[in-house]
Amino acid sequence: DGGITQSPKYLFRKEGQNVTLSCEQNLNHDAMYWYRQDPGQGLRLIYYSQIVNDFQKGDIAEGYSVSREKKESFPLTVTSAQKNPTAFYLCASSMRLRLAGADTQYFGPGTRLTVL
Amino acid sequence: AQRVTQPEKLLSVFKGAPVELKCNYSYSGSPELFWYVQYSRQRLQLLLRHISRESIKGFTADLNKGETSFHLKKPFAQEEDSAMYYCALSGLRGAGGTSYGKLTFGQGTILTVHP
């Protein structure tokens, strides 16, 4: 199941602190994504990036920030402005974001963030 | 806006029984539909997509544009099918400026197959 990794597996944060979740892929994929998974709500898109140095907000971007300085890496920062950050965060990648639709997305193992 | 609805949070069947996981979508354009599966302690992974018309692990799904549905079916469920299943939709860029190629996921259905 290699190819896309996330670290750490578990993360604890105090209120008011920013925290950065790591996502790395060696699949040579152009597009990368961050989702948040909450019970009963499915996966919700936070941010996505089609190419290096470019990214767009997803459906629930408030309180989050990202960067895409390298093709392989797409870190997500959960800021203190995020009102309810405790969740399971999934990173994914795909070959490209095609005009005609979506390529298969490959998911990492996830990071569980808990705010104390 | 695009939306995916999976009306059942939980679904239980016995081994050998038929199973159908429901998925309805809302989208004004021409969608691509997917089913993703997450087995216990494994990553979320693609099960099948309507455009390829494949049968994976005995599962099939037919896109019904009239009913805006993409239900997942298997005639004889197995215990190893127990997992969380997500239906997902990808749409083309619409007049409202929504971005193409993004996936919108349903809430998920937990399938339990009893021995």
Side-chain angles (χ1 to χ4, degrees), chain B residues 34-48:
Chain B
F34 305 78
W35 277 99
Y36 278 80
V37 60
Q38 190 170 28
Y39 301 104
S40 178
R41 297 188 178 86
Q42 293 188 30
R43 304 181 185 205
L44 190 63
Q45 59 187 287
L46 178 70
L47 179 62
L48 57 80

Side-chain angles (χ1 to χ4, degrees), chain B residues 23-26 62-71 73:
Chain B
C23 172
N24 290 93
Y25 67 90
S26 173
D62 292 319
L63 178 61
N64 186 325
K65 291 188 177 180
E67 295 183 358
T68 60
S69 68
F70 188 57
H71 304 326
K73 301 176 184 179

Side-chain angles (χ1 to χ4, degrees), chain A residues 39-56:
Chain A
Q41 296 196 54
L43 278 70
R44 292 180 291 168
L45 183 65
I46 304 173
Y47 267 98
Y48 65 103
S49 168
Q50 301 178 54
I51 56 173
V52 174
N53 293 323
D54 181 68
F55 48 83
Q56 285 83 39

